[in-house]
mmCIF file of all heavy atoms in Angstrom:
data_model
loop_
_atom_site.group_PDB
_atom_site.id
_atom_site.type_symbol
_atom_site.label_atom_id
_atom_site.label_comp_id
_atom_site.label_asym_id
_atom_site.label_seq_id
_atom_site.Cartn_x
_atom_site.Cartn_y
_atom_site.Cartn_z
ATOM 1 N N LEU X 197 -96.661 26.923 34.781
ATOM 2 C CA LEU X 197 -96.246 26.062 33.653
ATOM 3 C C LEU X 197 -94.859 25.523 33.937
ATOM 4 O O LEU X 197 -93.999 26.171 34.510
ATOM 5 C CB LEU X 197 -96.227 26.863 32.325
ATOM 6 C CG LEU X 197 -97.543 27.574 31.963
ATOM 7 C CD1 LEU X 197 -97.359 28.172 30.583
ATOM 8 C CD2 LEU X 197 -98.705 26.622 31.974
ATOM 9 N N SER X 198 -94.630 24.309 33.462
ATOM 10 C CA SER X 198 -93.340 23.634 33.609
ATOM 11 C C SER X 198 -92.799 23.258 32.239
ATOM 12 O O SER X 198 -93.606 22.958 31.318
ATOM 13 C CB SER X 198 -93.447 22.409 34.486
ATOM 14 O OG SER X 198 -93.889 22.734 35.790
ATOM 15 N N CYS X 199 -91.509 23.208 32.122
ATOM 16 C CA CYS X 199 -90.840 22.796 30.896
ATOM 17 C C CYS X 199 -89.675 21.867 31.315
ATOM 18 O O CYS X 199 -88.676 22.396 31.867
ATOM 19 C CB CYS X 199 -90.352 23.974 30.095
ATOM 20 S SG CYS X 199 -89.414 23.549 28.606
ATOM 21 N N ALA X 200 -89.762 20.638 31.026
ATOM 22 C CA ALA X 200 -88.720 19.652 31.343
ATOM 23 C C ALA X 200 -87.832 19.432 30.172
ATOM 24 O O ALA X 200 -88.353 19.145 29.064
ATOM 25 C CB ALA X 200 -89.356 18.319 31.844
ATOM 26 N N ALA X 201 -86.548 19.617 30.374
ATOM 27 C CA ALA X 201 -85.609 19.461 29.261
ATOM 28 C C ALA X 201 -84.773 18.192 29.411
ATOM 29 O O ALA X 201 -84.556 17.701 30.545
ATOM 30 C CB ALA X 201 -84.651 20.690 29.208
ATOM 31 N N SER X 202 -84.319 17.668 28.312
ATOM 32 C CA SER X 202 -83.415 16.543 28.301
ATOM 33 C C SER X 202 -82.473 16.646 27.102
ATOM 34 O O SER X 202 -82.766 17.386 26.166
ATOM 35 C CB SER X 202 -84.206 15.216 28.263
ATOM 36 O OG SER X 202 -85.015 15.137 27.080
ATOM 37 N N GLY X 203 -81.385 15.946 27.116
ATOM 38 C CA GLY X 203 -80.450 15.989 26.034
ATOM 39 C C GLY X 203 -79.368 17.029 26.200
ATOM 40 O O GLY X 203 -78.273 16.870 25.659
ATOM 41 N N ASP X 204 -79.635 18.082 26.961
ATOM 42 C CA ASP X 204 -78.687 19.126 27.238
ATOM 43 C C ASP X 204 -79.109 19.935 28.441
ATOM 44 O O ASP X 204 -80.320 19.846 28.830
ATOM 45 C CB ASP X 204 -78.457 20.031 26.027
ATOM 46 C CG ASP X 204 -77.118 20.734 26.073
ATOM 47 O OD1 ASP X 204 -76.301 20.529 27.018
ATOM 48 O OD2 ASP X 204 -76.845 21.550 25.153
ATOM 49 N N SER X 205 -78.238 20.733 29.008
ATOM 50 C CA SER X 205 -78.612 21.521 30.154
ATOM 51 C C SER X 205 -79.314 22.793 29.770
ATOM 52 O O SER X 205 -78.845 23.527 28.902
ATOM 53 C CB SER X 205 -77.360 21.848 30.989
ATOM 54 O OG SER X 205 -76.700 20.703 31.385
ATOM 55 N N VAL X 206 -80.402 23.132 30.462
ATOM 56 C CA VAL X 206 -81.110 24.363 30.165
ATOM 57 C C VAL X 206 -80.258 25.549 30.378
ATOM 58 O O VAL X 206 -80.424 26.619 29.701
ATOM 59 C CB VAL X 206 -82.436 24.480 30.904
ATOM 60 C CG1 VAL X 206 -83.411 23.405 30.480
ATOM 61 C CG2 VAL X 206 -82.223 24.386 32.430
ATOM 62 N N GLY X 207 -79.334 25.542 31.289
ATOM 63 C CA GLY X 207 -78.465 26.651 31.587
ATOM 64 C C GLY X 207 -77.498 26.949 30.444
ATOM 65 O O GLY X 207 -76.855 28.029 30.536
ATOM 66 N N SER X 208 -77.383 26.097 29.500
ATOM 67 C CA SER X 208 -76.471 26.283 28.401
ATOM 68 C C SER X 208 -77.169 26.996 27.207
ATOM 69 O O SER X 208 -76.478 27.217 26.170
ATOM 70 C CB SER X 208 -75.878 24.962 27.923
ATOM 71 O OG SER X 208 -75.138 24.312 28.964
ATOM 72 N N HIS X 209 -78.417 27.289 27.348
ATOM 73 C CA HIS X 209 -79.215 27.846 26.265
ATOM 74 C C HIS X 209 -79.951 29.077 26.699
ATOM 75 O O HIS X 209 -80.289 29.242 27.877
ATOM 76 C CB HIS X 209 -80.203 26.828 25.750
ATOM 77 C CG HIS X 209 -79.560 25.597 25.187
ATOM 78 N ND1 HIS X 209 -79.298 25.408 23.893
ATOM 79 C CD2 HIS X 209 -79.149 24.464 25.818
ATOM 80 C CE1 HIS X 209 -78.736 24.227 23.672
ATOM 81 N NE2 HIS X 209 -78.601 23.609 24.857
ATOM 82 N N CYS X 210 -80.286 29.914 25.724
ATOM 83 C CA CYS X 210 -81.379 30.849 25.903
ATOM 84 C C CYS X 210 -82.677 30.022 25.836
ATOM 85 O O CYS X 210 -82.931 29.362 24.811
ATOM 86 C CB CYS X 210 -81.344 31.928 24.825
ATOM 87 S SG CYS X 210 -82.816 32.951 24.824
ATOM 88 N N THR X 211 -83.500 30.149 26.814
ATOM 89 C CA THR X 211 -84.756 29.412 26.918
ATOM 90 C C THR X 211 -85.871 30.301 27.382
ATOM 91 O O THR X 211 -85.642 31.384 27.973
ATOM 92 C CB THR X 211 -84.643 28.221 27.868
ATOM 93 O OG1 THR X 211 -84.290 28.664 29.188
ATOM 94 C CG2 THR X 211 -83.586 27.268 27.402
ATOM 95 N N GLY X 212 -87.063 29.914 27.112
ATOM 96 C CA GLY X 212 -88.221 30.697 27.581
ATOM 97 C C GLY X 212 -89.529 30.246 26.973
ATOM 98 O O GLY X 212 -89.663 29.078 26.610
ATOM 99 N N TRP X 213 -90.467 31.150 26.892
ATOM 100 C CA TRP X 213 -91.829 30.825 26.517
ATOM 101 C C TRP X 213 -92.336 31.782 25.473
ATOM 102 O O TRP X 213 -92.174 32.989 25.590
ATOM 103 C CB TRP X 213 -92.760 30.854 27.716
ATOM 104 C CG TRP X 213 -92.405 29.891 28.806
ATOM 105 C CD1 TRP X 213 -91.519 29.984 29.812
ATOM 106 C CD2 TRP X 213 -93.014 28.587 28.966
ATOM 107 N NE1 TRP X 213 -91.499 28.884 30.572
ATOM 108 C CE2 TRP X 213 -92.423 28.002 30.096
ATOM 109 C CE3 TRP X 213 -94.008 27.864 28.264
ATOM 110 C CZ2 TRP X 213 -92.794 26.732 30.526
ATOM 111 C CZ3 TRP X 213 -94.363 26.643 28.700
ATOM 112 C CH2 TRP X 213 -93.772 26.060 29.827
ATOM 113 N N PHE X 214 -93.014 31.240 24.487
ATOM 114 C CA PHE X 214 -93.849 31.952 23.538
ATOM 115 C C PHE X 214 -95.315 31.578 23.810
ATOM 116 O O PHE X 214 -95.581 30.580 24.460
ATOM 117 C CB PHE X 214 -93.511 31.583 22.102
ATOM 118 C CG PHE X 214 -92.169 32.060 21.626
ATOM 119 C CD1 PHE X 214 -90.966 31.417 21.919
ATOM 120 C CD2 PHE X 214 -92.063 33.256 20.865
ATOM 121 C CE1 PHE X 214 -89.715 31.863 21.439
ATOM 122 C CE2 PHE X 214 -90.865 33.712 20.386
ATOM 123 C CZ PHE X 214 -89.738 33.051 20.689
ATOM 124 N N ARG X 215 -96.213 32.383 23.275
ATOM 125 C CA ARG X 215 -97.584 32.018 23.281
ATOM 126 C C ARG X 215 -98.274 32.467 21.994
ATOM 127 O O ARG X 215 -97.848 33.366 21.311
ATOM 128 C CB ARG X 215 -98.344 32.673 24.489
ATOM 129 C CG ARG X 215 -98.406 34.188 24.473
ATOM 130 C CD ARG X 215 -99.088 34.707 25.705
ATOM 131 N NE ARG X 215 -99.216 36.144 25.727
ATOM 132 C CZ ARG X 215 -99.592 36.850 26.749
ATOM 133 N NH1 ARG X 215 -99.995 36.270 27.859
ATOM 134 N NH2 ARG X 215 -99.740 38.191 26.710
ATOM 135 N N GLN X 216 -99.339 31.762 21.639
ATOM 136 C CA GLN X 216 -100.044 32.014 20.426
ATOM 137 C C GLN X 216 -101.553 31.888 20.643
ATOM 138 O O GLN X 216 -102.037 30.759 20.963
ATOM 139 C CB GLN X 216 -99.563 31.137 19.249
ATOM 140 C CG GLN X 216 -100.168 31.498 17.908
ATOM 141 C CD GLN X 216 -99.474 30.798 16.803
ATOM 142 O OE1 GLN X 216 -98.891 29.723 16.962
ATOM 143 N NE2 GLN X 216 -99.503 31.378 15.596
ATOM 144 N N ALA X 217 -102.311 32.935 20.429
ATOM 145 C CA ALA X 217 -103.769 32.888 20.498
ATOM 146 C C ALA X 217 -104.288 32.646 19.095
ATOM 147 O O ALA X 217 -103.626 32.999 18.101
ATOM 148 C CB ALA X 217 -104.291 34.164 21.076
ATOM 149 N N PRO X 218 -105.509 32.067 18.957
ATOM 150 C CA PRO X 218 -106.066 31.838 17.655
ATOM 151 C C PRO X 218 -106.127 33.096 16.813
ATOM 152 O O PRO X 218 -106.556 34.173 17.251
ATOM 153 C CB PRO X 218 -107.497 31.348 17.949
ATOM 154 C CG PRO X 218 -107.343 30.695 19.308
ATOM 155 C CD PRO X 218 -106.366 31.597 20.074
ATOM 156 N N GLY X 219 -105.636 33.013 15.571
ATOM 157 C CA GLY X 219 -105.652 34.170 14.646
ATOM 158 C C GLY X 219 -104.603 35.184 14.869
ATOM 159 O O GLY X 219 -104.554 36.236 14.176
ATOM 160 N N LYS X 220 -103.676 34.942 15.822
ATOM 161 C CA LYS X 220 -102.642 35.889 16.119
ATOM 162 C C LYS X 220 -101.237 35.211 15.909
ATOM 163 O O LYS X 220 -101.121 34.012 15.921
ATOM 164 C CB LYS X 220 -102.739 36.425 17.528
ATOM 165 C CG LYS X 220 -103.970 37.271 17.786
ATOM 166 C CD LYS X 220 -103.874 37.893 19.178
ATOM 167 C CE LYS X 220 -105.053 38.877 19.382
ATOM 168 N NZ LYS X 220 -104.950 39.518 20.724
ATOM 169 N N ASP X 221 -100.260 36.044 15.761
ATOM 170 C CA ASP X 221 -98.909 35.588 15.624
ATOM 171 C C ASP X 221 -98.381 35.094 16.945
ATOM 172 O O ASP X 221 -98.841 35.490 18.042
ATOM 173 C CB ASP X 221 -97.924 36.685 15.113
ATOM 174 C CG ASP X 221 -98.223 37.091 13.697
ATOM 175 O OD1 ASP X 221 -98.766 36.293 12.924
ATOM 176 O OD2 ASP X 221 -97.882 38.260 13.345
ATOM 177 N N ARG X 222 -97.411 34.200 16.890
ATOM 178 C CA ARG X 222 -96.758 33.702 18.083
ATOM 179 C C ARG X 222 -95.868 34.876 18.632
ATOM 180 O O ARG X 222 -95.085 35.402 17.911
ATOM 181 C CB ARG X 222 -95.900 32.467 17.782
ATOM 182 C CG ARG X 222 -95.405 31.715 18.976
ATOM 183 C CD ARG X 222 -94.882 30.341 18.628
ATOM 184 N NE ARG X 222 -95.863 29.493 18.048
ATOM 185 C CZ ARG X 222 -95.668 28.218 17.741
ATOM 186 N NH1 ARG X 222 -94.516 27.642 17.962
ATOM 187 N NH2 ARG X 222 -96.666 27.504 17.205
ATOM 188 N N GLU X 223 -95.992 35.111 19.879
ATOM 189 C CA GLU X 223 -95.267 36.185 20.537
ATOM 190 C C GLU X 223 -94.422 35.733 21.725
ATOM 191 O O GLU X 223 -94.833 34.803 22.436
ATOM 192 C CB GLU X 223 -96.219 37.321 21.005
ATOM 193 C CG GLU X 223 -97.216 36.878 22.050
ATOM 194 C CD GLU X 223 -98.103 38.035 22.518
ATOM 195 O OE1 GLU X 223 -98.029 39.121 21.906
ATOM 196 O OE2 GLU X 223 -98.915 37.812 23.418
ATOM 197 N N GLY X 224 -93.294 36.363 21.923
ATOM 198 C CA GLY X 224 -92.450 36.073 23.048
ATOM 199 C C GLY X 224 -93.050 36.530 24.341
ATOM 200 O O GLY X 224 -93.571 37.651 24.394
ATOM 201 N N VAL X 225 -92.917 35.726 25.399
ATOM 202 C CA VAL X 225 -93.493 36.030 26.695
ATOM 203 C C VAL X 225 -92.410 36.310 27.747
ATOM 204 O O VAL X 225 -92.372 37.356 28.394
ATOM 205 C CB VAL X 225 -94.376 34.897 27.184
ATOM 206 C CG1 VAL X 225 -94.925 35.170 28.604
ATOM 207 C CG2 VAL X 225 -95.505 34.676 26.225
ATOM 208 N N ALA X 226 -91.464 35.353 27.926
ATOM 209 C CA ALA X 226 -90.425 35.509 28.919
ATOM 210 C C ALA X 226 -89.261 34.643 28.557
ATOM 211 O O ALA X 226 -89.462 33.517 28.071
ATOM 212 C CB ALA X 226 -90.969 35.139 30.323
ATOM 213 N N PHE X 227 -88.041 35.121 28.820
ATOM 214 C CA PHE X 227 -86.852 34.370 28.450
ATOM 215 C C PHE X 227 -85.771 34.530 29.488
ATOM 216 O O PHE X 227 -85.695 35.526 30.223
ATOM 217 C CB PHE X 227 -86.327 34.895 27.094
ATOM 218 C CG PHE X 227 -87.349 34.689 26.012
ATOM 219 C CD1 PHE X 227 -88.267 35.698 25.724
ATOM 220 C CD2 PHE X 227 -87.351 33.515 25.250
ATOM 221 C CE1 PHE X 227 -89.219 35.511 24.747
ATOM 222 C CE2 PHE X 227 -88.287 33.354 24.294
ATOM 223 C CZ PHE X 227 -89.245 34.340 24.009
ATOM 224 N N ILE X 228 -84.868 33.574 29.520
ATOM 225 C CA ILE X 228 -83.752 33.589 30.408
ATOM 226 C C ILE X 228 -82.477 33.141 29.672
ATOM 227 O O ILE X 228 -82.543 32.116 28.942
ATOM 228 C CB ILE X 228 -83.980 32.738 31.663
ATOM 229 C CG1 ILE X 228 -82.845 32.822 32.668
ATOM 230 C CG2 ILE X 228 -84.336 31.302 31.322
ATOM 231 C CD1 ILE X 228 -83.155 32.272 34.074
ATOM 232 N N ASP X 229 -81.410 33.869 29.744
ATOM 233 C CA ASP X 229 -80.199 33.495 29.074
ATOM 234 C C ASP X 229 -79.250 32.682 29.923
ATOM 235 O O ASP X 229 -79.619 32.290 31.024
ATOM 236 C CB ASP X 229 -79.505 34.742 28.499
ATOM 237 C CG ASP X 229 -78.908 35.675 29.594
ATOM 238 O OD1 ASP X 229 -78.825 35.243 30.732
ATOM 239 O OD2 ASP X 229 -78.498 36.794 29.242
ATOM 240 N N GLY X 230 -78.094 32.335 29.346
ATOM 241 C CA GLY X 230 -77.193 31.455 30.025
ATOM 242 C C GLY X 230 -76.646 32.031 31.329
ATOM 243 O O GLY X 230 -76.194 31.248 32.148
ATOM 244 N N ARG X 231 -76.721 33.339 31.541
ATOM 245 C CA ARG X 231 -76.257 33.965 32.748
ATOM 246 C C ARG X 231 -77.400 34.058 33.795
ATOM 247 O O ARG X 231 -77.125 34.468 34.893
ATOM 248 C CB ARG X 231 -75.717 35.357 32.469
ATOM 249 C CG ARG X 231 -74.439 35.355 31.688
ATOM 250 C CD ARG X 231 -73.905 36.798 31.536
ATOM 251 N NE ARG X 231 -72.534 36.847 30.955
ATOM 252 C CZ ARG X 231 -71.865 37.930 30.762
ATOM 253 N NH1 ARG X 231 -72.390 39.066 31.115
ATOM 254 N NH2 ARG X 231 -70.634 37.862 30.251
ATOM 255 N N GLY X 232 -78.566 33.714 33.382
ATOM 256 C CA GLY X 232 -79.751 33.783 34.283
ATOM 257 C C GLY X 232 -80.470 35.115 34.257
ATOM 258 O O GLY X 232 -81.331 35.369 35.100
ATOM 259 N N ILE X 233 -80.161 35.966 33.276
ATOM 260 C CA ILE X 233 -80.868 37.245 33.139
ATOM 261 C C ILE X 233 -82.146 37.002 32.407
ATOM 262 O O ILE X 233 -82.200 36.391 31.332
ATOM 263 C CB ILE X 233 -79.990 38.232 32.370
ATOM 264 C CG1 ILE X 233 -78.668 38.467 33.140
ATOM 265 C CG2 ILE X 233 -80.663 39.517 32.142
ATOM 266 C CD1 ILE X 233 -77.635 39.270 32.370
ATOM 267 N N THR X 234 -83.209 37.553 32.957
ATOM 268 C CA THR X 234 -84.564 37.362 32.387
ATOM 269 C C THR X 234 -85.022 38.562 31.640
ATOM 270 O O THR X 234 -84.685 39.715 31.916
ATOM 271 C CB THR X 234 -85.577 37.011 33.504
ATOM 272 O OG1 THR X 234 -85.477 38.020 34.540
ATOM 273 C CG2 THR X 234 -85.303 35.664 34.071
ATOM 274 N N THR X 235 -85.909 38.345 30.622
ATOM 275 C CA THR X 235 -86.535 39.349 29.871
ATOM 276 C C THR X 235 -88.010 39.001 29.750
ATOM 277 O O THR X 235 -88.366 37.881 29.449
ATOM 278 C CB THR X 235 -85.923 39.458 28.459
ATOM 279 O OG1 THR X 235 -84.538 39.718 28.596
ATOM 280 C CG2 THR X 235 -86.605 40.562 27.684
ATOM 281 N N TYR X 236 -88.902 39.997 29.953
ATOM 282 C CA TYR X 236 -90.336 39.805 29.928
ATOM 283 C C TYR X 236 -90.960 40.736 28.901
ATOM 284 O O TYR X 236 -90.552 41.909 28.776
ATOM 285 C CB TYR X 236 -90.998 40.063 31.272
ATOM 286 C CG TYR X 236 -90.530 39.110 32.335
ATOM 287 C CD1 TYR X 236 -89.441 39.446 33.150
ATOM 288 C CD2 TYR X 236 -91.194 37.907 32.574
ATOM 289 C CE1 TYR X 236 -89.006 38.560 34.155
ATOM 290 C CE2 TYR X 236 -90.783 37.051 33.585
ATOM 291 C CZ TYR X 236 -89.726 37.388 34.362
ATOM 292 O OH TYR X 236 -89.293 36.538 35.399
ATOM 293 N N ASP X 237 -92.014 40.248 28.256
ATOM 294 C CA ASP X 237 -92.842 41.129 27.444
ATOM 295 C C ASP X 237 -93.552 42.083 28.366
ATOM 296 O O ASP X 237 -93.955 41.711 29.496
ATOM 297 C CB ASP X 237 -93.850 40.315 26.628
ATOM 298 C CG ASP X 237 -94.616 41.165 25.701
ATOM 299 O OD1 ASP X 237 -94.083 41.611 24.641
ATOM 300 O OD2 ASP X 237 -95.801 41.497 26.018
ATOM 301 N N ALA X 238 -93.777 43.312 27.917
ATOM 302 C CA ALA X 238 -94.430 44.303 28.786
ATOM 303 C C ALA X 238 -95.785 43.913 29.228
ATOM 304 O O ALA X 238 -96.240 44.314 30.330
ATOM 305 C CB ALA X 238 -94.483 45.649 27.978
ATOM 306 N N SER X 239 -96.473 43.081 28.438
ATOM 307 C CA SER X 239 -97.845 42.682 28.810
ATOM 308 C C SER X 239 -97.891 41.756 29.968
ATOM 309 O O SER X 239 -98.957 41.630 30.593
ATOM 310 C CB SER X 239 -98.528 42.042 27.602
ATOM 311 O OG SER X 239 -97.875 40.815 27.272
ATOM 312 N N VAL X 240 -96.777 41.120 30.352
ATOM 313 C CA VAL X 240 -96.796 40.158 31.443
ATOM 314 C C VAL X 240 -95.857 40.593 32.600
ATOM 315 O O VAL X 240 -95.933 39.940 33.700
ATOM 316 C CB VAL X 240 -96.420 38.797 30.972
ATOM 317 C CG1 VAL X 240 -97.304 38.328 29.831
ATOM 318 C CG2 VAL X 240 -94.934 38.722 30.593
ATOM 319 N N LYS X 241 -95.044 41.606 32.400
ATOM 320 C CA LYS X 241 -94.128 42.021 33.441
ATOM 321 C C LYS X 241 -94.850 42.428 34.717
ATOM 322 O O LYS X 241 -95.765 43.190 34.676
ATOM 323 C CB LYS X 241 -93.226 43.131 32.933
ATOM 324 C CG LYS X 241 -91.987 43.335 33.819
ATOM 325 C CD LYS X 241 -90.940 44.157 33.006
ATOM 326 C CE LYS X 241 -89.616 44.171 33.779
ATOM 327 N NZ LYS X 241 -88.533 44.837 32.993
ATOM 328 N N GLY X 242 -94.411 41.882 35.810
ATOM 329 C CA GLY X 242 -95.045 42.146 37.113
ATOM 330 C C GLY X 242 -96.097 41.096 37.483
ATOM 331 O O GLY X 242 -96.451 41.014 38.645
ATOM 332 N N ARG X 243 -96.520 40.337 36.494
ATOM 333 C CA ARG X 243 -97.461 39.238 36.739
ATOM 334 C C ARG X 243 -96.922 37.876 36.591
ATOM 335 O O ARG X 243 -97.291 36.953 37.292
ATOM 336 C CB ARG X 243 -98.708 39.417 35.819
ATOM 337 C CG ARG X 243 -99.424 40.706 35.935
ATOM 338 C CD ARG X 243 -100.708 40.731 35.128
ATOM 339 N NE ARG X 243 -100.459 40.572 33.718
ATOM 340 C CZ ARG X 243 -100.935 39.581 32.940
ATOM 341 N NH1 ARG X 243 -101.699 38.663 33.467
ATOM 342 N NH2 ARG X 243 -100.665 39.559 31.642
ATOM 343 N N PHE X 244 -95.985 37.707 35.620
ATOM 344 C CA PHE X 244 -95.384 36.423 35.360
ATOM 345 C C PHE X 244 -93.941 36.408 35.879
ATOM 346 O O PHE X 244 -93.227 37.431 35.779
ATOM 347 C CB PHE X 244 -95.345 36.119 33.858
ATOM 348 C CG PHE X 244 -96.693 35.911 33.204
ATOM 349 C CD1 PHE X 244 -97.867 36.137 33.856
ATOM 350 C CD2 PHE X 244 -96.752 35.415 31.897
ATOM 351 C CE1 PHE X 244 -99.113 35.907 33.278
ATOM 352 C CE2 PHE X 244 -97.955 35.206 31.282
ATOM 353 C CZ PHE X 244 -99.100 35.449 31.965
#
């Protein structure tokens, strides 16, 4: 998956991905902060 940003630098923000399946809440998947440190949901760690 790709995410193209405009209007500001992605490195200046906490950015990442959520996902939502039908009938379920939107859940966090993976994120990266301004320092480049990443955080993954346990369900995807090692795969994403």
Side-chain angles (χ1 to χ4, degrees):
L197 306 184
S198 299
C199 176
S202 61
D204 203 4
S205 300
V206 292
S208 299
H209 299 264
C210 169
T211 57
W213 296 85
F214 290 83
R215 67 184 180 185
Q216 187 169 25
K220 293 188 176 182
D221 292 335
R222 192 168 297 186
E223 63 179 4
V225 177
F227 299 89
I228 184 167
D229 67 12
R231 292 184 172 183
I233 300 172
T234 52
T235 302
Y236 297 91
D237 184 78
S239 65
V240 306
K241 196 162 190 174
R243 300 188 297 122
F244 291 11

